[in-house]
Amino acid sequence: MKRLLFVCVENSCRSQIAEAFARIHGRGELEIYSAGSRPTGKVNPKAIESMREIGYDLSGHDSKSLAEIPAVEYDFVVTMGCGDECPYVRARQREDWNVPDPKNLPPEPFRKIRDEIERKVKDVLRRFT
């Protein structure tokens, strides 16, 4: 089974949303992970609410560090625009999305970023699976 990893600094918002969409649209065909270089230890409440609006319960997800996920070569790694703060992770393919961090945005701009992440995840899944 192929492994897909989403990385951002805090693993509380963007990478969590991306992981959720990969689980929704990946149809159980992939091992899907998300992690952060400096995780907050909790998922952002706005991310939980934003995903609840579309019927996904993100409240069961945990914000975790890269040290907490398997130390393997991933088939595909996506970073969320964290630049130098995203450490190197072994991967066959990688991509940086440069998605703005929505954590301090009001609901409507937050939803736009959520929807942008969904489009990008769907695109990766089309190319990757």
Side-chain angles (χ1 to χ4, degrees):
M1 193 174 276
K2 292 183 177 181
R3 294 180 186 103
L4 178 59
L5 170 64
F6 298 96
V7 181
C8 68
V9 175
E10 296 180 346
N11 188 229
S12 67
C13 206
R14 296 169 290 179
S15 57
Q16 290 287 344
I17 290 169
E19 177 187 350
F21 280 126
R23 291 185 183 285
I24 291 167
H25 300 301
R27 302 173 301 280
E29 298 173 7
L30 304 165
E31 286 183 34
I32 301 163
Y33 301 90
S34 70
S37 55
R38 288 181 310 187
T40 62
K42 62 181 181 154
V43 178
N44 184 303
K46 290 180 180 181
I48 293 170
E49 179 57 31
S50 172
M51 294 304 289
R52 184 177 294 125
E53 292 173 358
I54 61 160
Y56 186 89
D57 185 5
L58 197 61
S59 67
H61 285 225
D62 294 314
S63 171
K64 58 205 151 305
S65 76
L66 288 162
E68 296 175 74
I69 60 171
V72 297
E73 180 178 58
Y74 288 85
D75 294 286
F76 201 91
V77 172
V78 175
T79 53
M80 299 286 167
C82 47
D84 292 340
E85 293 189 63
C86 280
Y88 178 79
V89 176
R90 289 184 315 163
R92 290 187 178 100
Q93 290 180 274
R94 62 182 65 253
E95 193 168 288
D96 184 70
W97 288 354
N98 200 23
V99 175
D101 189 347
K103 70 181 178 184
N104 295 318
L105 294 178
E108 192 52 39
F110 193 103
R111 286 184 197 106
K112 287 182 179 178
I113 289 177
R114 176 201 63 198
D115 295 346
E116 176 186 352
I117 291 170
E118 181 178 28
R119 283 189 299 277
K120 288 177 174 289
V121 167
K122 284 180 172 180
D123 179 57
V124 164
L125 293 176
R126 273 192 296 277
R127 291 184 283 134
F128 186 62
T129 56

